[in-house]
Amino acid sequence: MAPAAEPAIGQSHSYRSGDPQLAVVDEEAEQPPKFDDPYQERRYLKHRLTLAFRIFAKFDLSEGVAGHITVRDPVDPTSFWVNPFGMHFSLIEDADLIRVDHSGNVVEGGNNKRLNYAAYAIHAETHKARPDVLCAAHSHSLYGRAMCTTGKTLDMLTQDFCVFWNDHVLYSNFAGLVLATAEGKAIAAALGNKKAALLGNHGLMTVGPSIEATVAWFVLLEKCCQIQLAADASAAGTGRSLVTIGEDEAQATWEAVGTIGNGYFQGLPLFQVAEREFGERTLLGRGIVPWNAA
């Protein structure tokens, strides 16, 4: 499946708020670094995945042993790296990550090589269905779970919601703990070419072509769920309907802030804070140096 279409420069509609392309930073700031050596890229991506778990821990996006983030392996793209089952997100280091093939076999990893089978069932099918997806994240977050009981997708309530305009789905067919690849295939099919899914009675899921975009979208989606629930409660209390953003305005905003490049750039500040836990600092996710030398 092809990813959601990115607007071409100079081909956007004429919007009252201005040309969405003016929100583009620059090519370097909106793309992860590129590597000639897949083994060097593997080391880099594993560390960024470790940072992603620190970010999830910081935003309280974990619940017991539930939740997983995966990244496709650049050396063997028919496998992915994921957190070991039963380890708290805040404690994960690069060496703890495990690599799982698309048949559900743990082929390498740290001391704890336990695999959350639900992570395999969901993520293997997602990675197989979406070659454009480098990273996928799923968690049983507080407001995400609450939103996933409403049987609805997000309304376009604020500028930030428009990141998900026509770019998220509701998968309402909760069938119990995902322990069958057929259910993983159904989730991947429902997701289609979108960046996010509300898994009914379950939790949130985001996918992206970079770890940074996937994490940024997940953190934002959780906050949008919180705002949606608060706004719905307010509307129910006052009896007044919510004011939503129009289709043209939502599209213009998505073209400005919902793109793949913007997702990467929006994720960088989250990773900068996580880097400091390791005494590191990067510029745009490139060139790790000790924090006190930056």
Side-chain angles (χ1 to χ4, degrees):
M1 293 182 184
E6 295 276 314
I9 294 177
Q11 294 184 4
S12 59
H13 299 289
S14 178
Y15 293 120
R16 181 165 57 95
S17 60
D19 185 354
Q21 288 298 319
L22 294 173
V24 174
V25 185
D26 57 63
E27 185 175 351
E28 182 184 24
E30 293 199 347
Q31 290 186 10
K34 293 179 173 60
F35 295 86
D36 295 325
D37 181 354
Y39 288 93
Q40 183 183 6
E41 184 176 8
R42 171 189 277 178
R43 288 191 295 272
Y44 174 82
L45 290 176
K46 285 180 66 179
H47 189 54
R48 299 302 275 182
L49 183 57
T50 295
L51 295 174
F53 286 114
R54 299 302 176 101
I55 294 167
F56 267 46
K58 188 174 295 290
F59 283 92
D60 200 23
L61 298 175
S62 60
E63 184 71 27
V65 299
H68 16 86
I69 312 174
T70 58
V71 63
R72 190 191 303 272
D73 182 57
V75 178
D76 177 8
T78 64
S79 64
F80 56 84
W81 294 91
V82 66
N83 46 307
F85 198 21
M87 189 170 191
H88 196 275
F89 289 174
S90 67
L91 301 178
I92 293 173
E93 298 185 356
D94 299 15
D96 297 311
L97 299 170
I98 60 175
R99 186 162 66 90
V100 181
D101 66 22
H102 285 182
S103 297
N105 302 306
V106 177
V107 293
E108 63 176 301
N111 293 327
N112 177 3
K113 292 185 175 64
R114 294 177 180 85
L115 170 65
N116 182 340
Y117 197 84
Y120 160 68
I122 295 173
H123 290 255
E125 297 305 326
T126 300
H127 283 292
K128 284 193 282 186
R130 292 280 300 274
D132 61 298
V133 166
L134 173 74
C135 180
H138 166 63
S139 169
H140 296 183
S141 57
L142 178 61
Y143 296 103
R145 278 182 293 175
M147 184 68 197
C148 288
T149 68
T150 65
K152 59 178 284 188
T153 54
L154 297 173
D155 296 324
M156 295 298 102
L157 296 179
T158 74
Q159 173 178 302
D160 299 312
F161 279 67
C162 297
V163 168
F164 304 102
W165 173 79
N166 199 31
D167 212 359
H168 74 293
V169 300
L170 170 68
Y171 179 72
S172 59
N173 184 35
F174 180 73
L177 194 64
V178 182
L179 297 175
T181 54
E183 184 66 5
K185 288 179 181 177
I187 291 172
L191 178 65
N193 65 352
K194 310 300 185 185
K195 64 163 62 91
L198 309 178
L199 306 180
N201 305 101
H202 189 173
L204 305 179
M205 182 175 182
T206 59
V207 300
S210 69
I211 301 174
E212 292 80 3
T214 303
V215 170
W217 290 334
F218 197 103
V219 170
L220 180 59
L221 184 58
E222 170 72 359
K223 291 181 177 179
C224 287
C225 289
Q226 182 180 5
I227 295 167
Q228 179 81 64
L229 293 165
D232 284 343
S234 175
T238 63
R240 297 177 181 176
S241 299
L242 297 176
V243 177
T244 57
I245 295 171
E247 281 293 295
D248 282 352
E249 292 79 10
Q251 180 177 349
T253 309
W254 181 90
E255 290 183 15
V257 297
T259 62
I260 288 169
N262 187 269
Y264 177 78
F265 189 67
Q266 289 291 330
L268 289 176
L270 301 175
F271 279 79
Q272 290 160 9
V273 174
E275 286 167 3
R276 193 161 190 176
E277 289 191 34
F278 291 86
E280 303 164 354
R281 190 171 188 175
T282 66
L283 176 62
L284 303 176
R286 295 158 168 81
I288 297 174
V289 296
W291 182 268
N292 57 12

